[in-house]
Amino acid sequence: MQFDAVRVDGDEGRRLADWMEALTGGDPGPVVMEANGRRGVYFLLPPGSTSHRAWPRGVTRFNAGPAHVSYVPVPALTGKTWPLSWRFPPTEPGRLVHPLLLRSAVSELFADPYAGN
């Protein structure tokens, strides 16, 4: 399966996953969590959906293109795969996180409350 991914580290990533859960009624699409290191939260998106869009600072994009390939850690669907786990496992083939909804949510999360003051 091919996909793009967006990683948001630490508590911000976890807050974003919570927010996406609320916005989508509990099914934002597949989201992977890392329990160590950066404690990254990876949102899996349709292929090609991250490469031609600006994303806020604090977001790391993973995608493929000419002479460029990215690798994203993905846990097994069942069994123990520490330090990786599914926050939201895949629910059906082709079901991925909606890129515009995620981009809007992450832009809101990282908005500067003092901008324009």
Side-chain angles (χ1 to χ4, degrees), residues 5 28 34 39-40 53 57 64 81 87 89 96-97 106 115:
E34 225 172 12
R39 295 180 53 234
R53 287 186 166 84
R57 188 173 32 153
T81 55
R87 169 68 190 270
L96 296 165
V97 174
V106 81

Side-chain angles (χ1 to χ4, degrees), residues 42-115:
Y42 296 83
F43 299 84
L44 308 186
L45 300 107
S49 63
T50 65
S51 61
H52 300 300
R53 287 186 166 84
W55 288 80
R57 188 173 32 153
V59 172
T60 303
R61 297 178 300 167
F62 296 88
N63 49 48
H68 175 80
V69 175
S70 296
Y71 295 94
V72 175
V74 175
L77 288 175
T78 59
K80 295 183 182 200
T81 55
W82 191 91
L84 301 174
S85 64
W86 287 105
R87 169 68 190 270
F88 302 103
T91 55
E92 60 187 68
R95 171 81 170 110
L96 296 165
V97 174
H98 192 283
L100 295 177
L101 181 60
L102 179 64
R103 193 165 149 261
S104 295
V106 81
S107 294
E108 184 79 17
L109 178 69
F110 290 144
D112 182 353
Y114 302 105

Side-chain angles (χ1 to χ4, degrees), residues 5-24:
V6 165
R7 185 186 76 216
V8 178
D9 293 331
D11 292 337
E12 290 83 10
R14 282 146 177 76
R15 277 197 302 274
L16 181 58
D18 291 343
W19 198 350
M20 289 295 292
E21 179 180 24
L23 291 172
T24 61

